[in-house]
Amino acid sequence: MQVDLILRNIRTARQRGLSDIAIKDGKIVEIGTAIRCEAVQEEDFDGAFAFPGFVDSHIHLDKACILGRCTICAGTLEEAVRETAKAKADFSEADVYERASALVAKAITHGTNRMRTFVEIDPRAGMRSFEAIKRVRDEYAFAIDIQICAFVQEGLTQEPETEAMLDAALADGADLIGGCPYTDIDPAEHVRRIFALARKHDVDVDFHLDFSLDPEKTHLPSVIEATKANGYSGRVTIGHVTNLSALDTDTLAMIGTRIAAAGIALTVLPATDLFLMGRQFTRNVPRGIAPAHALSALGVRTAIATNNILNPFTPFGDASLARMANLYANVMQLSRDADIELAFDMVTSQAAKILGAQYDLAVGTSADIVILDATDACDVIRCSAPALAGWKAGKKTFVRPRAALLR
């Protein structure tokens, strides 16, 4: 048999020692030791780690890289929402396309090949950002699969025209709908309307939820009940939920069990949550990150994601999920190999399940492969391992050669 490509001397999570991967017609046809067959091309990676790629389950491409247009004084969530709202009124389709394209290219070269991006749709943003992100999705499909979540950041019930705009976006290429109850004057009605649009278009739901450190200020019960009432188990994700970080162990276990029973997934956003939470404290500042690893042990599907980059919500970032998982593991004081491996799963296989995406490195699957300068999953997270190369359906999409000292 002749194959298109053989990747030699790589390590994978499933195989002990070094392996080869043979690829033909965009699919993996063999994984084994010292594969012998004719190949159009071979590449040797000298023990580097291969996996199906990072999955970013929560990112905002439309409002990334706008620091120069905003002012950060208080560093609070309220300020970030306000400053971004002012800036996005001046977003043009070309502007959003340019910023989002540059960020997607950076994510690809860090090893990400699946992504869910939120796109704000309201009277200030209009449909400009949505149109731009659709172009980005199409033009970078050679290297990355992008889901578009039609998202309402600044409330829904107080701006009735927004609902019609979300409806139109879902009819015109948006993959799912996103809500934000804590910015609405009627959070419960906000949740109800988001689910009504989701059912109308038969799409999944992803909420920004409970972004504070006050456990008493929560819209989680409304989302849990609506998920059950609408038969949406396995189709709802909640992001942030930072007030879970303020719970004692027993209360967290009780609430986590309810989240798991409802079939709701959770994405934590370490960089943003660290930057915005706890601003009122002058000492012993809380981390403000929901303990995803503890919730995972309770049966909740969990993920770690990027959220914002270089804007008032997060004035840092480079779209590296290896770095983001490393940040989570460090801040949450993880040390056991099993917990570090879970952090890796939360930017790979667990996040892929949230997106409903195929994710496997096995014979017969699409040859979506990323090579990292690491030896195993723990090494990836502990060292924020850089990506070396990637393929999508067997076609090479990027290369970042190892750094070399010149003595």
Side-chain angles (χ1 to χ4, degrees):
M1 175 179 68
Q2 185 183 63
V3 299
D4 301 320
L5 172 66
I6 297 179
L7 306 178
R8 295 205 180 273
N9 294 314
I10 58 173
R11 302 179 192 275
T12 70
R14 291 182 177 177
Q15 305 283 123
R16 296 186 66 179
L18 298 180
S19 302
D20 300 337
I21 296 180
I23 298 165
K24 182 177 176 64
D25 297 330
K27 292 188 178 296
I28 297 173
V29 294
E30 186 176 354
I31 302 176
T33 303
I35 292 174
R36 297 191 177 209
C37 63
E38 291 185 28
V40 176
Q41 185 180 7
E42 294 189 11
E43 295 197 43
D44 192 314
F45 284 95
D46 192 26
F49 181 73
F51 74 122
F54 289 118
V55 183
D56 203 330
S57 58
H58 187 130
I59 191 170
H60 293 263
L61 294 176
D62 57 338
K63 57 189 182 186
C65 307
I66 59 168
L67 271 182
R69 311 177 197 184
C70 304
T71 300
I72 301 177
C73 295
T76 61
L77 173 62
E78 294 73 20
E79 179 185 65
V81 172
R82 184 176 64 251
E83 286 293 309
T84 304
K86 289 191 296 184
K88 76 179 177 185
D90 293 326
F91 287 178
S92 68
E93 183 177 332
D95 165 49
V96 174
Y97 173 80
E98 182 178 355
R99 288 184 287 103
S101 294
L103 189 55
V104 166
K106 187 171 287 189
I108 291 167
T109 59
H110 282 308
T112 297
N113 55 19
R114 297 165 183 84
M115 174 183 287
R116 172 180 290 178
T117 182
F118 292 80
V119 179
E120 294 185 22
I121 295 175
D122 57 34
R124 285 157 298 288
M127 305 296 275
R128 300 185 301 278
S129 295
F130 177 55
E131 293 300 328
I133 299 302
K134 283 196 297 181
R135 285 177 55 201
V136 174
R137 177 180 64 183
D138 294 344
E139 292 187 23
Y140 285 85
F142 73 94
I144 187 169
D145 299 325
I146 298 177
Q147 286 185 356
I148 297 177
C149 181
F151 176 56
V152 51
Q153 170 75 77
E154 299 169 55
L156 181 59
T157 64
Q158 64 264 47
E159 290 186 328
E161 60 267 48
T162 299
E163 189 168 356
M165 296 173 72
L166 292 170
D167 192 13
L170 289 166
D172 191 32
D175 299 291
L176 70 157
I177 188 167
C180 190
Y182 60 78
T183 60
D184 203 297
I185 58 173
D186 189 344
E189 178 64 10
H190 180 109
V191 170
R192 189 196 70 77
R193 292 189 189 185
I194 291 295
F195 270 100
L197 284 168
R199 291 190 62 180
K200 176 181 178 180
H201 294 275
D202 190 23
V203 297
D204 290 357
V205 178
D206 201 326
F207 284 105
H208 289 48
L209 203 65
D210 292 1
F211 206 175
S212 76
L213 295 176
D214 183 359
E216 300 300 317
K217 186 179 178 182
T218 176
H219 304 120
L220 179 58
S222 295
V223 172
I224 290 175
E225 291 309 310
T227 300
K228 293 178 179 177
N230 287 282
Y232 252 57
S233 177
R235 303 191 66 180
V236 177
T237 305
I238 52 179
H240 297 294
V241 204
T242 52
N243 60 4
L244 293 177
S245 69
L247 299 178
D248 62 75
T249 303
D250 291 342
T251 306
L252 179 69
M254 178 186 67
I255 293 176
T257 301
R258 291 185 63 202
I259 296 171
I264 295 173
L266 168 71
T267 300
V268 297
L269 300 314
T272 300
D273 298 347
L274 277 170
F275 181 73
L276 293 177
M277 290 297 98
R279 290 283 177 167
Q280 67 271 40
F281 292 83
T282 57
R283 60 189 180 90
N284 292 331
V285 180
R287 298 181 180 94
I289 300 175
H293 57 291
L295 292 164
S296 179
L298 297 168
V300 180
R301 180 172 293 165
T302 54
I304 299 166
T306 299
N307 196 41
N308 281 288
I309 291 178
L310 300 177
N311 67 18
F313 292 88
T314 320
F316 311 99
D318 62 353
S320 166
L321 281 174
R323 187 181 70 84
M324 197 58 62
N326 169 280
L327 176 63
Y328 177 87
N330 198 336
V331 169
M332 303 304 280
Q333 300 175 325
L334 305 185
S335 58
R336 298 185 308 145
D337 281 0
D339 290 333
I340 303 298
E341 288 169 357
L342 174 60
F344 176 79
D345 290 343
M346 287 195 283
V347 288
T348 55
S349 57
Q350 292 266 73
K353 288 177 182 176
I354 288 175
L355 270 60
Q358 178 199 41
Y359 193 89
D360 202 3
L361 200 65
V363 172
T365 62
S366 178
D368 298 345
I369 302 169
V370 171
I371 309 291
L372 300 177
D373 192 7
T375 57
D376 56 29
C378 282
D379 194 27
V380 172
I381 304 306
R382 292 185 190 279
C383 302
S384 302
L388 300 176
W391 290 260
K392 191 72 171 168
K395 188 174 294 186
K396 198 168 191 178
T397 55
F398 77 92
V399 60
R400 289 169 60 109
R402 281 188 175 102
L405 287 177
L406 304 177
R407 294 186 181 275

